[in-house]
């Protein structure tokens, strides 16, 4: 089960933490923090890239450079349009390109939990404590 805690900090900002002690600052458009939408895009990119890299290397093609840009525009005030993942790679050889493309497509279609959850419309449930 995945689990994070999001809470307001003493300085009025917000932070998300996990059980392993990692944290990320969350806020609006101010410097030094991620917006919630940026975190969603980072999750899509992170899920893809941390899966693509070892699978490509396992097939004998350690990529010289592996990065990506993930972007989306709001189509309504509180709704994103399509999310686009654009890889930026430097291949060690020509035949590595074929392997990389096959792995990246397979990861996108079958193995990235975040992308698949967005595409399939995972339900989000709300639990609000009852008043006393």
């Amino acid at each position: 089960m995945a689990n994070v805690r999001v809470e307001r900090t003493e300085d009025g900002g917000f932070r998300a933490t996990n059980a392993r002690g990692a944290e990320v600052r969350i806020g609006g458009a101010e410097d030094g923090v991620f917006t919630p939408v940026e975190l969603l895009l980072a999750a899509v990119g992170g899920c893809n890239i941390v899966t693509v890299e070892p699978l490509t290397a396992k097939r004998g093609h350690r990529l010289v450079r592996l990065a990506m840009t993930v972007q989306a525009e709001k189509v309504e005030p509180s709704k994103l349009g399509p999310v686009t993942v654009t890889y930026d790679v430097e291949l060690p050889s020509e035949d590595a390109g074929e392997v990389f493309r096959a792995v990246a497509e397979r990861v996108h279609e079958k193995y990235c939990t975040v992308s698949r959850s967005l595409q399939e419309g995972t339900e989000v449930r709300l639990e609000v404590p009852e008043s006393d």
Side-chain angles (χ1 to χ4, degrees):
M1 175 179 213
N3 183 318
V4 297
R5 180 172 175 84
V6 180
E7 61 188 334
R8 188 184 65 233
T9 58
E10 288 184 21
D11 64 3
F14 299 90
R15 107 176 126 230
T17 57
N18 67 19
R20 296 176 307 284
E23 69 177 50
V24 63
R25 293 180 54 209
I26 305 168
E30 64 266 18
D31 291 341
V33 299
F34 281 92
T35 68
V37 170
E38 290 167 338
L39 288 172
L40 179 70
L41 299 178
V44 169
C47 184
N48 277 276
I49 208 166
V50 302
T51 309
V52 164
E53 197 282 328
L55 292 176
T56 304
K58 184 178 180 180
R59 286 158 179 75
H61 300 287
R62 176 105 174 131
L63 301 171
V64 177
R65 181 181 66 250
L66 176 59
M68 64 174 47
T69 301
V70 185
Q71 59 189 29
E73 291 186 22
K74 285 189 174 183
V75 293
E76 294 177 17
S78 61
K79 184 177 179 188
L80 291 177
V83 174
T84 302
V85 175
T86 305
Y87 278 92
D88 175 16
V89 297
E90 183 178 338
L91 304 169
S93 63
E94 283 188 36
D95 58 327
E98 227 175 277
V99 171
F100 164 71
R101 281 186 288 282
V103 168
E105 288 174 10
R106 195 166 40 257
V107 166
H108 173 73
E109 292 170 4
K110 295 182 180 179
Y111 299 113
C112 177
T113 303
V114 177
S115 293
R116 290 194 63 225
S117 295
L118 287 174
Q119 287 176 325
E120 295 178 15
T122 297
E123 178 183 0
V124 178
R125 297 179 184 145
L126 177 65
E127 292 183 9
V128 178
E130 294 186 31
S131 58
D132 293 330

